[in-house]
Amino acid sequence: MSVLESLRTIRDEALEQFKNGQTAEELEQLRVSLLGKSGQLTGILRTMGKLAPEERAAVGAEANRVKQALEAALSERREALQKAAQAARFERERIDVTGPGVRTRPMGRLHPMTQTYREIRDALVGMGFSLFGGPEIELDENNFTLLNLPPDHPARDMQDTFYVNDSVVLRTHTSPCEIRALKSVKPPFRLVMPGRVFRVDEVDASHSPVFMQMEGFIMDKGLTLGDLKGTLDAFVHAVFGEDVKTRLRPSYFPFTEPSAEMDMSCTICGGKGCRVCKGTGWIEILGCGVTNPHELENCGFDPKEWTALAFGIGVDRVASLKFGISDIRLEYENDARFLRQF
Ligand code: DAH
């Protein structure tokens, strides 16, 4: 083979190899093996001295053309590989900014006690009740004295509380809202008054020093205990369905006469008797009664003209029954792992 022929063979083979080169490294190896110090083409150029002078010019010119052709082909291939790599990377890293987010945010939900509170409230609002409220830090006078619990009355012991000073307490129940209503709302009215209340109680499965109540207060002329029972039945059935039974049990509260406690049939055992209802089939959920005439008089109303009915619901109790929670602490500890299930 003449030198010119081998030059062309080298070129044709090299051009073919470049086409198959898949990476920058492969191309670099090819370049070195052809154009490097001990490359094929370099080798041929080195032998030029041995050629006849007339041949030398032709071989020299061809060798230069081959070299240029190879260099051009190499850089073209390099560029093509680079572009392909970039295109592949764009494809790989493509994001559709209009698509839905990948990271989901945890959804919050309402605390079971809030859900319960809202159901009771909505049932009562549906019967014409309005929301009303009072402060958590209350005058002793509103919390006790005007509710017919004068200083030194033994019934005060039932609701020991936290004193801020001699005349200011953390309210022990939502009943002082009744006094605030009597002092500021013109009867007739139907009010629902929810909120946090406080007592000096040791924490156990059924006691918490902070808990939630909901006071209902109705004032009109000619109300009877039947109106009270009907109202209470309606809210219990709205929250628990028509199948639960209720009963009123005589009780004592200084601010009602007569006084009663309302029980509902135990939702855990369906009334057969279990650990939660202590085998009785009934669970107490509220205190209620016909407002004591002294309370009305204390606030300037004539009890012969006006009648009031009142009830105080333990919201945590109702939530326990609704959701089958057997330890009240779970309702106040705010452990998201527990609350998530409701
Ligand atoms: N305040 C009472 C308590 O915390 C519950 C209660 C009883 C409220 C009778 C009332 C009522 O309005 O009439 O134990």
Side-chain angles (χ1 to χ4, degrees):
M1 207 191 304
S2 76
V3 182
L4 277 177
E5 273 169 355
S6 13
L7 274 175
R8 285 173 193 141
T9 313
I10 291 175
R11 181 194 63 196
D12 293 346
E13 279 177 11
L15 290 177
E16 197 56 35
Q17 284 173 321
F18 290 170
K19 271 192 220 149
N20 296 328
Q22 294 303 323
T23 61
E25 294 77 48
E26 268 179 56
L27 291 182
E28 180 58 14
Q29 274 169 15
L30 286 173
R31 191 192 65 77
V32 172
S33 72
L34 290 160
L35 306 170
K37 267 189 200 145
S38 41
Q40 274 180 287
L41 194 63
T42 322
I44 288 185
L45 291 174
R46 281 217 186 95
T47 61
M48 291 236 306
K50 292 178 196 150
L51 295 175
E54 61 276 16
E55 226 185 334
R56 202 180 294 157
V59 169
E62 183 62 11
N64 268 334
R65 275 196 295 276
V66 169
K67 194 176 168 197
Q68 275 163 13
L70 293 185
E71 278 170 348
L74 260 178
S75 68
E76 198 183 309
R77 182 69 187 146
R78 265 199 210 103
E79 251 175 63
L81 283 180
Q82 242 170 26
K83 274 194 189 141
Q86 198 176 46
R89 182 170 158 210
F90 280 166
E91 189 55 35
R92 211 171 42 244
E93 295 181 359
R94 187 169 68 172
I95 39 171
D96 178 359
V97 293
T98 65
V102 184
R103 254 179 285 161
T104 52
R105 293 194 178 279
M107 275 289 280
R109 66 192 69 211
L110 292 176
H111 193 289
M113 215 153 37
T114 307
Q115 294 180 38
T116 307
Y117 155 65
R118 290 192 182 180
E119 274 191 38
I120 303 172
R121 177 200 64 191
D122 292 349
L124 292 173
V125 167
M127 290 187 263
F129 281 69
S130 311
L131 276 168
F132 186 76
E136 292 172 0
I137 301 172
E138 186 51 285
L139 292 172
D140 172 287
E141 190 178 55
N142 292 341
N143 192 83
F144 291 126
T145 313
L146 295 174
L147 283 168
N148 202 29
L149 277 140
D152 304 321
H153 191 293
R156 281 197 177 209
D157 291 349
M158 295 197 302
Q159 299 186 3
D160 195 9
T161 187
F162 302 96
Y163 279 79
V164 175
N165 58 41
D166 282 349
S167 55
V168 177
V169 299
L170 298 190
R171 67 178 176 191
T172 58
H173 48 181
T174 43
S175 301
C177 299
E178 294 181 12
I179 302 301
R180 289 178 176 267
L182 288 169
K183 285 177 178 170
S184 63
V185 184
K186 196 166 163 289
F189 54 66
R190 273 171 259 180
L191 302 175
V192 52
M193 314 185 275
R196 230 179 249 130
V197 301
F198 310 83
R199 290 192 198 172
V200 180
D201 275 338
E202 289 293 331
V203 177
D204 65 22
S206 53
H207 291 89
S208 163
V210 184
F211 58 105
M212 188 179 175
Q213 282 193 340
M214 245 171 125
E215 194 84 5
F217 196 37
I218 312 168
M219 187 158 173
D220 207 333
K221 291 178 178 168
L223 295 171
T224 70
L225 205 58
D227 295 311
L228 181 63
K229 183 154 193 342
T231 306
L232 298 176
D233 273 356
F235 106 73
V236 171
H237 290 143
V239 176
F240 291 96
E242 290 301 321
D243 292 341
V244 297
K245 294 192 187 65
T246 61
R247 71 175 183 189
L248 285 182
R249 215 166 8 86
S251 183
Y252 169 74
F253 297 102
F255 32 91
T256 39
E257 184 58 41
S259 303
E261 270 158 324
M262 189 161 96
D263 298 338
M264 66 172 258
S265 52
C266 178
T267 53
I268 313 283
C269 62
K272 287 191 208 76
C274 67
R275 208 170 54 91
V276 176
C277 60
K278 299 194 180 81
T280 63
W282 294 96
I283 292 183
E284 179 201 322
I285 56 166
L286 57 84
C288 62
V290 178
T291 300
N292 192 305
H294 291 310
E295 178 183 327
L296 298 185
E297 276 164 0
N298 287 344
C299 299
F301 285 96
D302 179 358
K304 287 192 201 74
E305 193 187 348
W306 291 99
T307 315
L309 306 171
F311 50 96
I313 306 169
V315 181
D316 42 29
R317 284 277 178 91
V318 181
S320 300
L321 284 175
K322 190 171 164 52
F323 294 103
I325 302 170
S326 56
D327 191 323
I328 194 184
R329 283 170 285 204
L330 293 166
E331 291 180 47
Y332 291 104
E333 280 168 356
N334 280 339
D335 184 336
R337 290 168 304 178
F338 172 74
L339 297 174
R340 202 173 289 137
Q341 65 188 299
F342 301 107

